[in-house]
Amino acid sequence: MNILQVKNLYKRFGKNTVLSDVTFEAQAGKIFGLLGPSGAGKTTIINILTKQLDADGGSFDTGATLFETGLMLDADGLYGRLSCLDNLNLFADIYGIPHKKGTEALQNVGLSDAVKKPVNALSKGMRQRLALARAILHEPKVLFLDEPTSGLDPATAKGIHKLIQGLCDSGSTVFLTTHNMEEAVKLCNHVALLHQGKIVEQGVPTEICERHNSYKTTPDLEAVFIKLTGVELE
C-alpha cells in the first residue's frame, strides 16, 4: 500500500526552476530513497512535503498529519546549553507525551550515558543521534531524514542505518535523502534519482542497476547516475 504520493510537483525560486514534474510514490512501512548530489532539490522536496514551503504546482499526500510526522534535517536545531534529555522533554511537552518517551528515545539511539550532557559537549555523531531521537520521540507514522549520516564515520553511520531499519520494522515509513548511493542500496526498498530538479530514474535499486547494466559484484547506482546525467556525485 502506498502511503506517500507525489504528483507533478513543481517549484520555482524567482526565475530558477528547482523542481519540475516530480512524481513518485512510497510504500507504507518501507524506506524510500531520494538520491542526488547537493543542489539537486532533495531538501526542497522535504520542505514541501512537511509544509514548510509551498509548491508552485502539482499535488502530494504524505498519508500523515504533522503530529504523525518526524523530521531530521541537516540543521538540527538543538538547544546547545540544554542537556540531551531536556531537549527531548521540550518536544515531549509539545507533542503531549510523557517525559519517559525522551529517556526511551535516548536508549534507542545509544545515548543513555549522555542524558545529562549538554548538547554543546556532544560530538557530531552524538548530535546526529540526538536529532534522530527527537524525530522518533512520538513514534511517527512517516519519518523524513535529510542526509542523516552525512559527515559521520562508518561505525556511527552503521549504527544509524540499524536504527532506521528498526523503525521500518516497527511500522514507520521512512523518506531518506542522500547522495551516498551505496547507503541507498543497503537501506532502500525503492529509490528515485534526482538531477537538477527532475527525476531521471526510479525503482528498486537492484532492478535499476540491472536495467542499466550496472550490476557487477554489487549494484552500482552511482554508475547509473553518472550514465544518465554525466555528473559525478560529490
Side-chain angles (χ1 to χ4, degrees), residues 113-231:
D113 294 337
V115 169
K116 296 182 179 180
K117 182 174 288 190
V119 168
N120 284 340
L122 301 180
S123 67
K124 180 174 181 178
M126 293 174 75
R127 286 185 72 119
Q128 291 279 75
R129 283 187 281 157
L130 179 58
L132 181 57
R134 187 184 61 191
I136 65 174
L137 181 67
H138 57 304
E139 300 175 0
K141 186 176 181 181
V142 178
L143 179 62
F144 292 91
L145 302 176
D146 192 12
E147 305 278 1
T149 60
S150 178
L152 299 184
D153 63 86
T156 303
K158 185 177 181 180
I160 288 182
H161 289 170
K162 185 177 180 179
L163 287 168
I164 293 171
Q165 188 60 63
L167 290 168
C168 281
D169 293 342
S170 298
S172 294
T173 300
V174 176
F175 182 97
L176 170 75
T177 72
T178 183
H179 59 258
N180 185 329
M181 298 295 183
E182 183 178 350
E183 175 177 76
V185 170
K186 289 180 180 178
L187 288 178
C188 299
N189 305 100
H190 191 101
V191 299
L193 307 185
L194 188 71
H195 175 59
Q196 296 181 346
K198 297 180 180 180
I199 291 180
V200 295
E201 178 63 282
Q202 61 180 306
V204 177
T206 53
E207 293 177 356
I208 290 175
C209 291
E210 288 171 354
R211 282 201 296 271
H212 294 276
N213 297 317
S214 185
Y215 198 125
K216 299 176 182 177
T217 55
T218 58
D220 192 347
L221 276 177
E222 185 166 2
V224 173
F225 189 86
I226 294 170
K227 177 181 178 181
L228 293 173
T229 66
V231 174

